[in-house]
Amino acid sequence: MTDTIDPTPRVPAKTTGSLSRRMILIAAVWIVVLLAGGGYALDRVLSTAVTRNFDDQLEYVLNALIVSAEIDPQGEVRFNRELADQRVLEPYSGLYWQVSAKAREPFPSRSLWDRRLTYGGVHNDRGIHFYDSGQFADEKLRIVERDLVLPKSPVRWRFQVAQSRDGLDAQIATLRRTLVRSFALLALGLIILAALQTFYGLWPLRKVREEIARMRAGQSNRVDGAMPDEVAPMVEELNALIAHNERQAEEARRHAGNLAHALKTPLTVIMNAATAQADDLAETVVREARTMRRQVDHHLARARAVGRRGSAHSRADVWPSLESVERAVGRLYRHVRIDVAGPRDLQVHVERQDLDEMLGNLIENAAKYGGGSVFVTVGAQAGFVEFLIEDDGMGIPEEQRVRIFDRGVRLDSGKPGTGLGLAIVRDVAEIYEGTVALEESEDLGGLMVRLRLPAAN
């Protein structure tokens, strides 16, 4: 058992990187940016809310302190009731208060023990002020203070309540850890979702690749199966391209077979004549060589047209081609008058060489078999450019108009020719999805050839 080796080398295609990786990376960057921005904003909001709640508690203690404060006979501050929070009685408990005034000894809570709160700057208002303080090396404080004048006292007193920030910082740290973990998990989930979405969204392209591999292996000849709306047009164009290539290959095989069949008979005649050493061997060789040349010219014309048909940019200006053919035929048949009429801006989806060959055959036939007048009319008709080539000759009977398109058929053998002109015109026109038909000329009384080719404008 031998392995089948594919003789066609596989040339690696140039790539610009993985499309899936690019889509996932873009989604990941966008997700991280959005979640980072949203997380930062949410952290600010929640941290502010927690800090505000902490400050409200300090403000409550400060108001309770102010309400219970009064001036004793010696002019010092005293309290008519103790604060309910026992932490102010425990040394270094983390909750402190102090009443101070300029040139007065501060009146601290027992919890301050041997420490004192800094008096701070002068406030020109009686508003409440919150700030952080690092005056204690081992303890960060959150302080709220307010300046006011108590009844029966000319002194402006500063009431301060301070609390350790450890509890507040711990709450904020816990909140931030929760936010970071939650948003990291959310980002990971979204990135995985984007990856799954990319993988699933690009799955039809992998299916197309598998179908192409199956076609290359000879297991199928089309990309089958339902496709998403975005991929279906590409698959349709791919199938159309495959069908086009198959048609071209089939036409090439058919042309090769037809050419081989056409050359087989002349070659057999030459070989028989040579084997028999016939007296007219030279004439036979020349005659059959001409026949073979006609067949080769015919099939080469078809092959050129098939090869150029696939070009979407194939187009030719009609009027320059008509003028060129008119000059060439006019030099061959100087007694023939050729008149051309029609718009000068028409274009056809045909290569210029093929257009010249078709028009040259038709106009030359009209000049050769006509009575001296040829009239060519060109015009646009529903997406086609229509050529009407009329002559004043004897015309062709209706029952023979179909047979005349066969290769080698000539109704007038008295004039030189190959009998391939109309056959070439028909074949090339059909390759370009055009048509050619024979009718009777109402104006000149002879033959009228109607050639229709796809318009390019």
Side-chain angles (χ1 to χ4, degrees):
M1 180 177 181
T2 59
D3 296 334
T4 301
I5 301 177
D6 188 355
T8 305
R10 301 189 65 176
V11 180
K14 295 181 180 180
T15 64
T16 58
S18 171
L19 185 60
S20 300
R21 189 182 301 114
R22 187 182 308 173
M23 296 174 64
I24 295 173
L25 180 61
I26 293 174
V29 171
W30 186 240
I31 289 171
V32 170
V33 170
L34 288 182
L35 291 183
Y40 177 79
L42 187 58
D43 173 74
R44 292 294 86 205
V45 171
L46 295 179
S47 298
T48 302
V50 172
T51 303
R52 181 58 184 168
N53 182 64
F54 189 84
D55 291 345
D56 289 343
Q57 297 178 14
L58 290 179
E59 185 178 356
Y60 174 79
V61 176
L62 177 65
N63 291 334
L65 191 67
I66 293 174
V67 168
S68 61
E70 58 185 22
I71 301 299
D72 62 10
Q74 289 77 29
E76 298 294 334
V77 175
R78 65 184 178 88
F79 298 98
N80 54 30
R81 64 177 182 273
E82 293 291 337
L83 294 178
D85 198 327
Q86 293 299 311
R87 288 180 297 172
V88 297
L89 302 177
E90 300 174 6
Y92 310 132
S93 64
L95 180 62
Y96 317 103
W97 60 261
Q98 178 177 298
V99 180
S100 309
K102 288 184 178 181
R104 298 290 184 96
E105 285 293 326
F107 181 31
S109 65
R110 186 175 296 178
S111 57
L112 277 172
W113 199 248
D114 58 346
R115 300 185 296 190
R116 297 294 180 267
L117 297 176
T118 302
Y119 183 80
V122 178
H123 301 302
N124 295 322
D125 56 38
R126 296 184 180 181
I128 296 177
H129 300 275
F130 295 91
Y131 61 92
D132 296 322
S133 175
Q135 55 188 277
F136 298 162
D138 58 342
E139 191 176 29
K140 293 182 179 180
L141 300 177
R142 180 72 174 171
I143 300 176
V144 58
E145 62 184 24
R146 182 179 182 183
D147 291 352
L148 52 83
V149 178
L150 295 175
K152 301 178 182 180
S153 174
V155 179
R156 172 175 289 189
W157 299 91
R158 173 163 296 178
F159 290 79
Q160 295 174 297
V161 176
Q163 186 172 348
S164 173
R165 281 190 58 96
D166 292 344
L168 176 61
D169 292 339
Q171 292 183 41
I172 294 177
T174 301
L175 176 66
R176 286 176 177 170
R177 282 197 302 272
T178 303
L179 283 177
V180 170
R181 292 172 182 174
S182 301
F183 276 65
L185 183 61
L186 179 60
L188 179 61
L190 290 176
I191 292 174
I192 293 175
L193 177 62
L196 293 176
Q197 184 178 13
T198 300
F199 181 81
Y200 179 76
L202 296 180
W203 181 257
L205 297 181
R206 296 182 178 89
K207 186 177 179 182
V208 172
R209 177 185 176 184
E210 294 174 358
E211 291 291 333
I212 294 176
R214 293 180 68 246
M215 287 189 296
R216 191 170 184 270
Q219 299 174 0
S220 66
N221 58 356
R222 292 289 185 278
V223 177
D224 298 323
M227 294 290 174
D229 294 341
E230 294 78 7
V231 181
M234 181 187 70
V235 173
E236 292 177 1
E237 292 297 329
L238 178 60
N239 285 335
L241 177 61
I242 294 171
H244 171 75
N245 291 337
E246 289 179 350
R247 287 196 303 270
Q248 283 195 321
E250 180 61 28
E251 288 176 352
R253 287 191 295 268
R254 187 170 64 252
H255 295 164
N258 292 340
L259 180 59
H261 181 74
L263 297 180
K264 183 177 180 180
T265 300
L267 286 174
T268 301
V269 172
I270 293 175
M271 290 181 64
N272 291 337
T275 302
Q277 297 183 356
D279 296 336
D280 59 346
L281 177 60
E283 297 178 0
T284 302
V285 170
V286 172
R287 183 180 68 251
E288 298 303 325
R290 288 175 179 172
T291 302
M292 288 189 289
R293 185 177 63 181
R294 291 198 303 267
Q295 297 294 340
V296 170
D297 291 342
H298 172 254
H299 287 283
L300 284 179
R302 283 185 57 89
R304 286 195 303 268
V306 171
R308 292 189 292 258
R309 177 185 58 186
S311 175
H313 303 288
S314 298
R315 63 176 58 216
D317 293 318
V318 169
W319 201 260
S321 182
L322 282 173
E323 290 180 335
S324 175
V325 171
E326 179 189 4
R327 287 193 298 270
V329 175
R331 286 194 294 268
L332 292 176
Y333 302 94
R334 298 185 181 276
H335 66 285
V336 177
R337 175 182 175 182
I338 303 175
D339 296 316
V340 182
R344 294 176 174 264
D345 58 347
L346 297 179
Q347 290 182 324
V348 290
H349 266 309
V350 179
E351 285 289 337
R352 171 65 184 270
Q353 183 177 350
D354 295 328
L355 180 61
D356 289 348
E357 186 167 7
M358 286 186 286
L359 293 178
N361 276 313
L362 295 178
I363 296 177
E364 183 181 1
N365 283 346
K368 181 189 301 184
Y369 299 107
S373 296
V374 176
F375 189 47
V376 181
T377 307
V378 59
Q381 293 288 336
F384 287 85
V385 174
E386 190 172 72
F387 300 84
L388 301 180
I389 298 95
E390 304 177 69
D391 63 62
D392 58 348
M394 299 297 295
I396 298 177
E398 186 175 355
E399 62 275 7
Q400 295 181 352
R401 290 175 186 172
V402 175
R403 191 174 65 89
I404 194 63
F405 283 106
D406 295 337
R407 292 192 298 270
V409 174
R410 300 171 58 199
L411 299 183
D412 187 357
S413 59
K415 295 184 179 181
T418 64
L420 292 174
L422 288 178
I424 291 176
V425 172
R426 179 199 58 189
D427 292 345
V428 175
E430 289 178 352
I431 288 173
Y432 286 104
E433 299 181 355
T435 60
V436 60
L438 302 182
E439 303 175 10
E440 183 179 352
S441 174
E442 297 181 358
D443 296 331
L444 300 182
L447 181 68
M448 181 179 74
V449 182
R450 186 185 301 270
L451 174 65
R452 288 167 58 87
L453 297 175
N457 53 354

